[in-house]
């Protein structure tokens, strides 16, 4: 039932299409979309910039780059550094307190300079909309266009003297010269000419796929695991005001990220003059001494604890919340046990709370081969 | 080109003819939420208020739900502002939550009141309903009855000994405990608010209305709420939540900003 006009239209379009085709030698660039499944109870809104959608090709390239020590822009064995130097999978993408070089888990860059804060884990970051870094200085909507998202963390890590101390131009040129890499960039981004922007994009894509959602507690939520009496009691303590009262800031059953990704002064110090707190980002004097509440997944591996690594063990953290919380003008109202010094847990309750926190230990994530060091790099 | 214009006119003709059995074009309503203390806009983070019990206090933030928002006619019939449960999250820190627009066509006419549920009713208040922030951050622990906080009103007060103590004035499902520590029964603390007004909505016009939360009323309307007595947290204290909710029924007022011209 095609009428004359439609027919002519179709023919014309056909002409037009083929005309375009002949001009362009390369096939159109169509990478495979990467399907990120939303785990049970997790938010459905993802923080993915519109100009960097997840693709299979991008993620797999990002994985190479994340682990490739030549990201420092250098090839000498002594001056290699990659994201994985500090962000180690088996330690929840943190260095670990027993690191052979970074004593106590305190990291420093290639120049020897120590980082301002201790490392943050790279876990479930795609659900963080409020800011990356301990003080959230990188966030979507920042008036600074160069401090928006994980892509920018890549550049910072490469340049910063307390990290790779490198130079984006040199890094880009080095990877252009490495056999195999240009082809992978072509597959991921449609051009074999490597740009630093595309290096940022690929690594950010990989980091966004680091999802932990298979801890015993997740299985408990899905009805596949029974918490032990001690774990269950720990969970109740975590979730109640009369108990340990952690859930307002660190989530729980209704927020399995185990953080709000928001910024609080949790009562560690009475005098507040830190240089890089939340106040340094927002200028809001009520946020002096505030830092991001980190997620508690795999928390037993996240030491040293707090932005300055002041606590070496989880027991010290629990003791702090129990007995050593101190008042200050900007202490968050959610720390409402402060005048008693904390939530006053008994030794038995502390053990239960710890048992519950250990239910957030996700061995599937820590051993997921998709997140691990590639066996071979593209030029090997 | 000419033909296009012709078609366009034909189309315009057709449009109204479809609406034969709906004589009047719908109206719309915009609700702005204003948090006030003693009539003035709430100022956060400074110890400038004193409640009925004599506690000097400050407020850091208020986060709350209202639901089943509807206009009421003199015959008691309701005209909901949304087709679903009409659940709205309001947050003194997030200015984009301060305005609510009707999301369905509202029948023009005379209305005599605004009605809503403070918090979430028993049917609506189910765990897992919100997975995305900021609503998901309002979750109310399963052990305490589940669902979501109706409200988190946070602040600090000055105790008689001069020390500043934080308070979490959090409302949600209450619990009745046995002599030990297990909750044996849950209490639905949500309540309905009815605010009489005289609103005439005209077809194709938007009417703007202000919903005021008079924050001081939470601590005074029926029971002087004494922080020194109730302390800094009440999520597991049904007696405190009950008094709070009895006060809260009087914490709202409605003001018509522009009747549709
Ligand atoms: Cu609460």
């Amino acid at each position: 039932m095609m009428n004359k006009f439609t027919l002519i239209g179709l023919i014309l379009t056909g002409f037009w299409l083929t005309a375009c085709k002949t001009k362009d030698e390369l096939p159109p660039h169509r990478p495979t979309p990467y399907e990120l499944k939303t785990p049970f109870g997790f938010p459905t809104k993802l923080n993915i910039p519109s100009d960097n959608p997840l693709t299979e090709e991008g993620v797999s390239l990002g994985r190479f780059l994340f682990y490739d020590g030549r990201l420092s822009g250098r090839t000498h064995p002594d001056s290699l550094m990659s994201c994985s130097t500090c962000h180690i999978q088996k330690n929840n993408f943190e260095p670990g307190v027993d690191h052979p070089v970074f004593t106590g888990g305190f990291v420093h860059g290639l120049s020897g300079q120590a980082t301002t804060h201790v490392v943050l884990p790279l876990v479930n970051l795609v659900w963080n909309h409020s800011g990356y870094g301990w003080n959230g200085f990188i966030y979507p909507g920042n008036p600074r266009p160069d401090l928006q998202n994980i892509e920018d963390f890549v550049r910072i890590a490469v340049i910063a003297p307390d990290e790779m101390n490198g130079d984006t131009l040199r890094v880009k040129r080095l990877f252009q010269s490495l056999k195999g890499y240009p082809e992978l960039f072509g597959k991921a981004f449609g051009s074999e000419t490597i740009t630093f922007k595309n290096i940022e994009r690929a690594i950010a894509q990989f980091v966004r796929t680091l999802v932990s959602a298979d801890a015993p507690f997740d299985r408990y939520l899905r009805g596949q695991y029974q918490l032990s009496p001690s774990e269950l009691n720990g969970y109740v303590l975590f979730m109640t005001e009369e108990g340990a009262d952690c859930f307002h800031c660190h989530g729980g059953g209704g927020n399995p990220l185990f953080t709000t990704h928001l910024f609080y002064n949790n009562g560690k110090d009475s005098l507040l003059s830190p240089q890089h707190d939340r106040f340094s980002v927002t200028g809001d004097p009520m946020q002096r001494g505030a830092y991001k509440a980190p997620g508690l997944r795999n928390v037993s591996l996240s030491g040293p604890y707090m932005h300055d690594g002041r606590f070496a063990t989880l027991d010290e953290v629990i003791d702090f919340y129990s007995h050593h919380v101190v008042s200050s003008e900007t202490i968050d109202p959610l720390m409402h046990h402060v005048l008693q010094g904390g939530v006053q847990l008994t030794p038995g309750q502390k053990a239960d709370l710890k048992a519950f926190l250990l239910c957030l230990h996700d061995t599937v994530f820590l051993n997921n081969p998709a997140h691990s060091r590639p066996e071979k790099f593209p030029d090997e | 080109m000419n033909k296009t214009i012709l078609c366009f006119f034909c189309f315009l003709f057709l449009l109204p003819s479809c609406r034969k059995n709906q004589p009047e074009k719908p109206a719309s309503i915009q609700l702005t939420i204003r948090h006030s203390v003693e009539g003035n806009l709430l100022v956060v983070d400074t110890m400038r208020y004193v409640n009925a019990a004599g506690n000097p206090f400050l407020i850091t933030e208020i986060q709350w739900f209202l639901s089943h928002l509807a206009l009421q006619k003199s015959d008691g019939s309701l005209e909901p502002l949304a087709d679903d449960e009409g659940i709205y999250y309001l947050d003194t820190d997030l200015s984009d939550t301060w305005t609510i627009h009707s999301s369905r066509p509202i029948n023009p006419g005379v209305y005599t009141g605004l009605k809503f549920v403070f918090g979430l009713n028993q049917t609506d208040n189910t765990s897992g309903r919100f997975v995305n922030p900021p609503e998901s951050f309002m979750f109310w622990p399963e052990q305490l009855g589940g669902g979501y906080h109706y409200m988190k009103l946070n602040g600090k007060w000055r105790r008689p000994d001069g020390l500043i103590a934080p308070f979490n004035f959090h409302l949600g499902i209450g619990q009745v405990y046995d002599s030990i520590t297990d909750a044996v029964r849950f209490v639905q603390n949500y309540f309905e608010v009815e605010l009489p007004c005289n609103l005439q909505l005209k077809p194709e016009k938007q009417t703007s209305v202000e919903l005021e939360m008079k924050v001081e009323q939470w601590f005074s309307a029926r029971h002087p709420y004494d922080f020194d007595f109730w302390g800094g947290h009440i999520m597991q204290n049904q007696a405190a939540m009950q008094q709070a909710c009895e006060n809260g029924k009087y914490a709202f007022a409605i003001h018509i900003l522009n009747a549709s011209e």
Side-chain angles (χ1 to χ4, degrees), chain B residues 2 15 34 43 46 49 52 64 68 78 85 135 138 153 160 170 179 182 208 229 239:
Chain B
N2 274 340
L15 267 183
R34 178 165 172 267
V43 178
T46 57
Y49 304 122
W64 58 290
H68 293 277
L78 291 176
E85 298 85 347
E135 290 88 344
M138 294 291 279
L153 190 162
H170 290 191
S179 53
D182 287 325
S208 296
F229 179 75

Side-chain angles (χ1 to χ4, degrees), chain B residues 1-256:
Chain B
M1 194 60 167
N2 274 340
K3 268 187 202 155
T4 326
I5 293 176
L6 205 74
C7 280
F8 184 62
F9 275 108
C10 293
F11 187 63
L12 277 188
F13 248 117
L14 280 171
L15 267 183
S17 67
C18 297
R19 301 227 169 155
K20 272 279 149 58
N21 40 11
Q22 192 186 325
E24 280 192 309
K25 299 227 172 82
S28 67
I29 183 160
Q30 173 185 308
L31 209 76
T32 311
I33 314 305
R34 178 165 172 267
H35 300 89
S36 72
V37 182
E38 276 137 26
N40 299 314
L41 200 64
L42 168 70
V43 178
V44 295
D45 294 337
T46 57
M47 190 76 75
R48 56 164 69 197
Y49 304 122
V50 179
N51 68 13
N55 313 130
F57 73 101
L58 67 80
I59 283 172
T60 53
E61 68 257 307
I62 310 175
Q63 299 153 334
W64 58 290
F65 282 112
L66 72 78
S67 55
H68 293 277
L69 194 54
L71 296 169
Q72 196 165 24
K73 286 214 153 137
S74 55
D75 64 1
S77 64
L78 291 176
E79 180 75 0
L81 266 63
D83 281 322
D84 55 12
E85 298 85 347
I87 301 174
Y88 302 93
Y89 171 78
L90 303 152
D91 189 327
T92 50
D93 284 337
L94 304 177
S95 56
D96 57 341
T97 66
W98 303 347
T99 324
I100 293 171
H101 291 273
S102 51
S103 59
R104 57 180 288 279
I106 305 290
N107 267 323
V110 176
Y111 292 91
T112 55
L114 182 83
K115 205 171 164 180
F116 64 87
V117 169
F118 169 78
L120 302 166
N121 70 24
Q122 185 162 9
T123 322
D124 294 343
N125 200 7
T126 50
S127 297
R129 158 171 218 130
F130 303 109
V131 290
N132 287 308
E135 290 88 344
S136 60
F137 295 163
M138 294 291 279
F139 83 88
W140 186 261
E142 215 57 59
Q143 298 86 347
L144 305 186
Y148 295 84
H149 286 72
Y150 307 151
M151 177 165 80
K152 294 183 189 173
L153 190 162
N154 297 328
K156 299 177 183 176
W157 90 98
R158 190 182 297 121
R159 303 199 310 195
D161 60 9
L163 294 177
I164 309 289
F167 66 78
N168 293 183
F169 188 81
H170 290 191
L171 303 175
I173 293 177
Q175 319 87 39
V176 176
Y177 290 92
D178 60 13
S179 53
I180 320 163
T181 50
D182 287 325
V184 288
R185 193 162 60 80
F186 294 120
V187 187
Q188 300 291 326
N189 282 317
Y190 72 88
F191 54 84
E192 279 189 351
V193 180
E194 271 187 60
L195 302 169
C197 62
N198 192 339
L199 255 183
Q200 184 165 14
L201 300 198
K202 295 204 174 132
E204 289 189 293
K205 295 271 193 249
Q206 172 172 289
T207 302
S208 296
V209 167
E210 181 184 88
L211 176 65
E212 180 183 10
M213 180 197 274
K214 304 187 207 171
V215 177
E216 79 282 0
Q217 294 297 322
W218 286 103
F219 311 122
S220 66
R222 281 294 174 274
H223 315 277
Y225 184 96
D226 188 348
F227 287 118
D228 293 325
F229 179 75
W230 294 113
H233 54 273
I234 57 172
M235 289 177 69
Q236 286 164 273
N237 187 341
Q238 175 54 20
M241 283 198 280
Q242 187 180 331
Q243 289 213 350
C245 288
E246 283 168 15
N247 284 341
K249 293 190 179 99
Y250 304 91
F252 298 93
I254 181 173
H255 310 286
I256 296 161

Side-chain angles (χ1 to χ4, degrees), chain A residues 85-151:
Chain A
T85 309
C86 299
H87 298 286
I88 302 171
Q89 181 186 14
K90 72 171 172 53
N91 292 326
N92 198 30
F93 289 94
E94 292 219 39
V97 283
D98 53 356
H99 194 281
V101 179
F102 300 136
T103 319
F106 292 90
V107 298
H108 53 76
L110 277 178
S111 68
Q113 190 179 325
T115 54
T116 312
H117 301 135
V118 300
V119 180
L120 275 163
L122 306 183
V123 178
N124 297 341
L125 296 188
V126 74
W127 287 285
N128 177 349
H129 299 260
S130 33
Y132 297 107
W134 280 98
N135 56 17
F137 73 113
I138 292 191
Y139 60 95
N142 191 338
R144 291 265 314 259
D146 58 336
L147 298 177
Q148 299 276 335
N149 217 315
I150 297 173
E151 284 79 356

Side-chain angles (χ1 to χ4, degrees), chain A residues 34-88:
Chain A
Y34 179 100
E35 199 198 330
L36 193 77
K37 291 198 190 75
T38 303
F40 181 80
F42 274 53
T44 52
K45 280 189 200 144
L46 308 175
N47 180 357
I48 299 179
S50 55
D51 65 351
N52 192 21
L54 295 187
T55 66
E56 295 284 350
E57 292 81 356
V59 170
S60 94
L61 169 61
R63 177 173 166 222
F64 283 125
L65 295 167
F66 185 92
Y67 281 100
D68 197 325
R70 293 168 293 190
L71 197 63
S72 66
R74 307 167 182 94
T75 50
H76 188 278
D78 287 344
S79 40
L80 297 178
M81 189 178 249
S82 70
C83 313
S84 64
T85 309
C86 299
H87 298 286
I88 302 171

